[in-house]
Amino acid sequence: KEILNVEGITCDHCVKTVKEAIIKNIGVVSVDVDIEKKITVIFDEKIAKSKEMVQEIEDIGFEVMI
């Protein structure tokens, strides 16, 4: 489980966009994105890598605060 703080989430469309970017990763079990800029990702650490998820979030225009 990983909790990421993301800047730039301002609406439901942003929530949907971020969720879709993460959930497609193999090994990701669930993603909860809230409007308060927190993303909770449950994933199999042997398959999915948090570094890759962070990169995907940043690639679509959001900033991940670690």
Side-chain angles (χ1 to χ4, degrees):
K1 178 177 176 179
E2 179 110 19
I3 298 175
L4 304 171
N5 293 306
V6 179
E7 291 295 320
I9 298 175
T10 58
C11 64
D12 289 336
H13 183 265
C14 295
V15 169
K16 181 180 176 191
T17 301
V18 171
K19 188 171 185 173
E20 288 175 350
I22 299 171
I23 199 72
K24 69 181 180 180
N25 286 286
I26 297 171
V28 173
V29 176
S30 71
V31 179
D32 180 42
V33 182
D34 67 35
I35 203 77
E36 302 209 358
K37 305 175 183 175
K38 289 192 179 184
I39 300 173
T40 304
V41 184
I42 298 174
F43 61 99
D44 183 340
E45 294 178 9
K46 295 176 187 167
I47 300 171
K49 305 293 181 216
S50 62
K51 183 177 179 179
E52 292 171 4
M53 289 182 267
V54 167
Q55 186 61 52
E56 287 185 16
I57 294 167
E58 291 181 341
D59 285 349
I60 58 173
F62 297 93
E63 184 178 354
V64 178
M65 310 302 285
I66 298 176

